[in-house]
Amino acid sequence: MSERVFPSSKPTTATNGTTTTTNPSAPSNKSHLYNPTARPPYRPQPHNRHRRSRSGRSLCCCCCFWTILTLLLLLLIAAIAGTALYILYRPHRPTFSIPSLRIHRFNLTTSTDSSTSHVSTLLNLTIISKNPNSHLSFFYDPFTLSSFSTDVLVGNGTLPAFSLAKKNETSFRNVVISGSNDLDAESVNALRSDLKKKSGGVALKIELDTKVTVKVGSLKTKKVGIRVTCDDIKGAVPKGKTPTEAISSGSSNKCKVDLRIKIWKFTF
């Protein structure tokens, strides 16, 4: 058997008189650098993320501020421009009137078994449109006319497109509104009760719907919808072939003109 030789742990004396101890079997310190069971030391996280989030928020707030400020300035400029144009041109709405309306036919019939009811109408009217402005001109699309009696549609008609220059007027005579419609029970009851009234005759309302473009000098606006409503018209139902004259209780037979602004599916 061979004998094992163990290194001596005795101190070794150097030539200069100093004593050093050599221990070659001592483990290296590198083996203690990694310990899988040891808990990693706490390292504080840098604050760069907080600084970035704060800078992003401040940038967003700054953009919102300048956007709101720009919108307010634009609204202020538009309001000033609108006020200046109003003072300079003094715009007025166009006027419409129906000086004459004749009822040629207004018949309400019901079948023998009372299952169906039918209304047949024929109206003849005169429409006058005026432009009271000295600096504005109006360009109208074709009109759609509707006749109502106690909110029941009894007739339809049309009116061609036309334009109105400054301080000008246009009249349309022999405008025909007619209808032949089947009615439900509620509409029949409303019309029948109105026809039985002896004071003033049947009540009528005429509505005109179209779009108009306004021209100021060389500037033209976009088309805007308008509705002209002529109500408080009453006339007796003709008993024979002779038409009856309807009379409006409004002042000078003037009609009301309203803007019809459409946003998405809603009309105001």
Side-chain angles (χ1 to χ4, degrees):
M1 294 178 62
S2 61
E3 295 182 357
R4 295 181 181 180
V5 180
F6 296 94
S8 176
S9 60
K10 293 181 180 181
T12 304
T13 303
T15 57
N16 56 0
T18 60
T19 302
T20 59
T21 303
T22 60
N23 190 5
S25 63
S28 176
N29 292 333
K30 293 184 179 180
S31 62
H32 296 282
L33 292 178
Y34 175 74
N35 188 358
T37 60
R39 199 172 186 181
Y42 172 75
R43 295 180 181 179
Q45 298 293 329
H47 298 280
N48 293 335
R49 295 181 180 177
H50 296 285
R51 292 177 181 175
R52 290 178 183 176
S53 62
R54 289 178 182 176
S55 61
R57 290 177 183 176
S58 62
L59 181 61
C60 181
C61 292
C62 184
C63 292
C64 291
F65 171 76
W66 285 110
T67 302
I68 295 174
L69 183 61
T70 304
L71 290 176
L72 291 177
L73 288 176
L74 290 176
L75 290 175
L76 180 61
I77 294 173
I80 295 174
T83 304
L85 289 175
Y86 180 81
I87 295 174
L88 181 62
Y89 294 108
R90 293 285 181 177
H92 297 280
R93 296 185 181 185
T95 61
F96 290 81
S97 61
I98 299 180
S100 173
L101 191 151
R102 292 184 178 183
I103 303 175
H104 289 264
R105 183 175 66 249
F106 201 108
N107 297 331
L108 178 63
T109 57
T110 304
S111 61
T112 55
D113 57 354
S114 301
S115 60
T116 58
S117 297
H118 190 81
V119 62
S120 177
T121 59
L122 178 60
L123 309 177
N124 188 296
L125 58 151
T126 299
I127 300 175
I128 297 178
S129 177
K130 295 181 180 180
N131 181 8
N133 297 280
S134 302
H135 303 279
L136 278 69
S137 301
F138 298 102
F139 298 86
Y140 297 100
D141 285 356
F143 285 75
T144 300
L145 280 64
S146 304
S147 175
F148 297 88
S149 179
T150 61
D151 294 331
V152 178
L153 180 64
V154 295
N156 297 101
T158 58
L159 203 65
F162 66 95
S163 61
L164 271 180
K166 309 166 187 176
K167 290 290 184 178
N168 202 351
E169 70 174 57
T170 300
S171 61
F172 296 91
R173 302 183 183 276
N174 299 322
V175 179
V176 175
I177 297 179
S178 61
S180 181
N181 305 321
D182 293 330
L183 303 177
D184 54 14
E186 185 178 356
S187 300
V188 171
N189 294 332
L191 281 179
R192 187 167 292 162
S193 61
D194 194 30
L195 291 173
K196 289 181 179 179
K197 295 179 181 179
K198 296 182 180 179
S199 58
V202 64
L204 296 172
K205 179 176 70 174
I206 309 297
E207 288 184 353
L208 298 84
D209 292 306
T210 188
K211 290 184 177 181
V212 61
T213 301
V214 182
K215 183 179 180 182
V216 184
S218 59
L219 178 64
K220 275 189 177 183
T221 64
K222 292 185 178 180
K223 292 182 179 181
V224 180
I226 63 170
R227 168 169 288 181
V228 182
T229 305
C230 309
D231 52 4
D232 296 330
I233 303 173
K234 291 186 177 181
V237 176
K239 296 181 179 179
K241 294 182 179 181
T242 303
T244 59
E245 192 77 21
I247 300 174
S248 175
S249 59
S251 59
S252 303
N253 302 322
K254 285 186 178 180
C255 306
K256 182 173 63 174
V257 181
D258 297 318
L259 293 177
R260 301 281 290 173
I261 301 174
K262 189 173 183 180
I263 301 177
W264 195 33
K265 296 181 180 180
F266 303 97
T267 304
F268 303 91

